[in-house]
Amino acid sequence: MMKRFLLLAAALTVWSCADRMSPEETPVQDLSPDALYAQVETCSKVSFDDESGMYWNAADSISAFFSPENIKYIFDGATGDTEGSFSKAADGAALSAAFSKIHALYPYREDAACTDEGTICTTLPARQSFTSGAFDPEANIMVAVTSGTDDRSLSFKNVCGYLKVRLYGDNTIREIRFKGNNGEILSGQAEISCGYEDDPEIELSDGGEVMTLDCGEDGVSLPDSAAEAMDFWFILPPMTFQKGFTLEIENTAGAVVTKGTTAEFPTTRNLIRKTKVMDISSDPEFLSFSVTDKDGNTYDFNLIAPPGHV
């Protein structure tokens, strides 16, 4: 699991949430049960597999809020399970005045917080790690809200949307950078509101305008054929990029190819959009490409290959 967080942003997030907490709290007994039951949303979950769908990973952890205290729970099941129980970490206890519902966040963040109104405060990281055949689970924020304090079943919902970039060719990719052409905020302090059975909404502030997919120092070698094209997953906050977006693909030699569009492009919560397969060879003929969503809507793009391109 990725452990890199924007520590300053996380601290500011907690302060922001703390300002909205009730100033008067009456100490009560520990409100947190020993175990909770959780399942993930049908469309997109913690990990993705083309054959078996989405699933939890062993030892996944969540933040649970029965009160302002952030209580850690750890998944009891095995990698591949789609639902199961989470057990409370030994040192967790909810000792403040109780909320009327249970709120939960995946992945667990030590500095995450929850307001009396049920707004979860955390961070959406500016860098995501390449994960073969899936998106970075540590960057995939999910939240859950129960019907009341006696309801111990958490139905997690994804907060963001997904863009799957499919590449092949004679090249090794170091990182891919995504940015909107209108200065859209893609990461930073996140306030997430969600009610029972409602879809979550995210609001970002004090963040960055570039989302980077990190493929590691050694990079990721692309397959030679279109039939074996590799998927590079981006997790993006839901919004409409009114002036389109730009992709910068950098190889391990530091050469960059830029692909861009000025066409309006939406990202939607819990929806996967994917590009057509693209050849990123060392000296390719760059063509236009398009993105098609599940409803059949197609968005056309023009490619720009500046001097020194990949």
Side-chain angles (χ1 to χ4, degrees):
M1 292 293 190
M2 185 172 66
K3 299 297 183 183
R4 295 169 293 187
F5 302 115
L6 301 175
L7 296 180
L8 177 58
L12 291 172
T13 300
V14 173
W15 296 336
S16 174
C17 284
D19 291 340
R20 296 161 57 185
M21 302 256 180
S22 173
E24 298 182 2
E25 295 178 352
T26 304
V28 296
Q29 64 181 1
D30 185 3
L31 305 170
S32 55
D34 292 334
L36 295 169
Y37 192 85
Q39 60 185 12
V40 276
E41 200 165 15
T42 301
C43 178
S44 303
K45 302 174 184 175
V46 179
S47 292
F48 178 86
D49 183 286
D50 285 336
E51 295 181 355
S52 59
M54 309 8 169
Y55 52 82
W56 291 106
N57 289 309
D60 273 340
S61 57
I62 61 175
S63 294
F65 300 93
F66 308 87
S67 65
E69 282 82 13
N70 180 357
I71 310 298
K72 183 178 183 179
Y73 281 77
I74 302 173
F75 187 50
D76 298 320
T79 296
D81 291 346
T82 58
E83 56 186 78
S85 63
F86 282 71
S87 293
K88 184 173 67 172
D91 57 350
L95 301 176
S96 300
F99 293 156
S100 60
K101 300 176 182 179
I102 301 171
H103 302 265
L105 167 72
Y106 173 90
Y108 170 79
R109 301 279 174 85
E110 183 177 359
D111 294 327
C114 186
T115 70
D116 292 341
E117 296 82 13
T119 299
I120 293 177
C121 303
T122 184
T123 57
L124 182 62
R127 297 187 70 87
Q128 302 172 11
S129 295
F130 171 80
T131 304
S132 180
F135 46 72
D136 178 3
E138 283 294 311
N140 187 48
I141 297 176
M142 300 190 297
V143 295
V145 182
T146 64
S147 59
T149 55
D150 293 332
D151 182 1
R152 304 297 166 81
S153 181
L154 300 169
S155 295
F156 277 92
K157 292 192 174 186
N158 296 302
V159 172
C160 294
Y162 310 92
L163 178 63
K164 184 167 65 171
V165 180
R166 296 180 290 172
L167 307 177
Y168 77 99
D170 180 19
N171 227 312
T172 302
I173 306 303
R174 173 63 184 85
E175 68 179 33
I176 305 176
R177 296 179 291 274
F178 178 102
K179 59 183 177 180
N181 295 333
N182 198 33
E184 290 87 353
I185 300 299
L186 303 177
S187 64
Q189 299 180 50
E191 293 190 358
I192 304 166
S193 58
C194 184
Y196 176 62
E197 295 185 336
D198 293 336
D199 291 338
E201 296 181 358
I202 183 172
E203 182 176 341
L204 293 170
S205 61
D206 298 330
E209 298 177 3
V210 179
M211 186 67 75
T212 300
L213 184 62
D214 189 342
C215 299
E217 292 184 4
D218 295 332
V220 174
S221 297
L222 298 178
D224 295 330
S225 69
E228 299 175 342
M230 185 170 291
D231 296 333
F232 293 80
W233 290 75
F234 278 94
I235 298 171
L236 300 169
M239 68 177 68
T240 297
F241 295 91
Q242 296 182 350
K243 296 183 179 180
F245 67 85
T246 297
L247 282 173
E248 296 178 347
I249 303 173
E250 180 176 338
N251 69 6
T252 51
V256 177
V257 61
T258 301
K259 303 177 183 295
T261 181
T262 58
E264 183 177 284
F265 183 81
T267 53
T268 306
R269 188 200 77 81
N270 202 42
L271 178 65
I272 301 169
R273 288 190 166 94
K274 58 185 178 181
T275 69
K276 290 186 176 181
V277 174
M278 294 180 286
D279 183 1
I280 309 295
S281 298
S282 296
D283 189 20
E285 290 290 333
F286 291 107
L287 305 175
S288 61
F289 73 98
S290 62
V291 175
T292 303
D293 63 24
K294 70 171 185 178
D295 298 321
N297 300 311
T298 300
Y299 307 88
D300 295 320
F301 297 83
N302 295 318
L303 307 193
I304 305 170
H309 64 270
V310 174

